[in-house]
Amino acid sequence: SAVISQKPSRDICQRGTSLTIQCQVDSQVTMMFWYRQQPGQSLTLIATANQGSEATYESGFVIDKFPISRPNLTFSTLTVSNMSPEDSSIYLCSVDANTDTQYFGPGTRLTVL
Amino acid sequence: QKEVEQNSGPLSVPEGAIASLNCTYSDRGSQSFFWYRQYSGKSPELIMSIYSNGDKEDGRFTAQLNKASQYVSLLIRDSQPSDSATYLCAVNGGMRNTGNQFYFGTGTSLTVIP
């Protein structure tokens, strides 16, 4: 398995601002994934981040709203831009650790006022 | 559309009983299946994976897979209050150019009553 950390663990933000979430892994991984989990809901994949290329976004998610960086094999960031209360959610990064199993970071709990 | 379906619950069992959690999936070509446990306010934690038809046991947990019926289940024996959590079923839908595509069910909420 992989040890994954995320920063910040939680934040309260004002409408219209942006927040960048960091995800750090203790080993090199090919793919990193960003999910959103809204209250009482399951996981929704936002995008997949591969080092050295642009992220691939799922239907309903766009780069202007959720820009992603993947500068190396152990780190990625997700920015939630121009936030609204509907963006209040838990944001999770995960990695596949070069196996077919996904491991999750501790998550970032975002509240937008 | 590849789907993973679970009963949302809540499922309540008394302490010491067997909890049975069920999941069906739509993609007959799926090869890998996973159960995650998610405590309230925490991230999902992998507890079991299963790849072949039949049973796989790990301590108090048993995963069961029936590919013909497209059905996977999780049994928790001697349930403890600490098992109270939401259990997510996940199916690996295979490789695409962005890596393994996981499909998650909506989760079953389990409460173990002391």
Side-chain angles (χ1 to χ4, degrees), chain A residues 2-9 20-27 29 31-35 49 68-79 91-96 103-108:
Chain A
V3 177
I4 306 166
S5 60
Q6 281 185 239
K7 288 194 296 187
S9 59
T20 295
I21 302 167
Q22 300 179 6
C23 180
Q24 179 78 51
V25 190
D26 69 338
S27 58
V29 295
M31 299 292 183
M32 297 179 77
F33 305 88
W34 287 98
Y35 288 84
I68 287 171
S69 77
R70 181 80 199 275
N72 58 53
L73 292 173
T74 63
F75 186 78
S76 179
T77 67
L78 169 75
T79 299
Y91 291 85
L92 294 152
C93 74
S94 76
V95 304
D96 66 6
Y103 298 94
F104 288 87
T108 296

Side-chain angles (χ1 to χ4, degrees), chain A residues 37 42 48 56 58 100 102 105, chain B residues 32 36 38 43 96 98 102 105:
Chain A
Q37 188 174 32
S42 190
T48 303
T56 301
E58 298 299 308
D100 73 343
Q102 288 198 12
Chain B
S32 313
Y36 288 82
Q38 186 173 25
S43 65
R96 55 180 195 178
T98 55
F102 269 49

Side-chain angles (χ1 to χ4, degrees), chain A:
Chain A
S1 65
V3 177
I4 306 166
S5 60
Q6 281 185 239
K7 288 194 296 187
S9 59
R10 60 177 62 228
D11 207 341
I12 301 173
C13 300
Q14 295 297 318
R15 180 195 300 260
T17 62
S18 298
L19 176 72
T20 295
I21 302 167
Q22 300 179 6
C23 180
Q24 179 78 51
V25 190
D26 69 338
S27 58
Q28 294 184 341
V29 295
T30 304
M31 299 292 183
M32 297 179 77
F33 305 88
W34 287 98
Y35 288 84
R36 182 173 72 183
Q37 188 174 32
Q38 296 183 306
Q41 303 296 313
S42 190
L43 303 168
T44 301
L45 181 63
I46 297 171
T48 303
N50 190 5
Q51 192 264 341
S53 64
E54 285 198 4
T56 301
Y57 290 83
E58 298 299 308
S59 176
F61 297 97
V62 296
I63 188 171
D64 289 347
K65 176 68 175 177
F66 297 100
I68 287 171
S69 77
R70 181 80 199 275
N72 58 53
L73 292 173
T74 63
F75 186 78
S76 179
T77 67
L78 169 75
T79 299
V80 186
S81 303
N82 188 25
M83 288 184 285
S84 67
E86 292 71 33
D87 295 318
S88 297
S89 188
I90 298 173
Y91 291 85
L92 294 152
C93 74
S94 76
V95 304
D96 66 6
N98 300 318
T99 67
D100 73 343
T101 304
Q102 288 198 12
Y103 298 94
F104 288 87
T108 296
R109 183 181 294 272
L110 171 62
T111 301
V112 184
L113 303 177

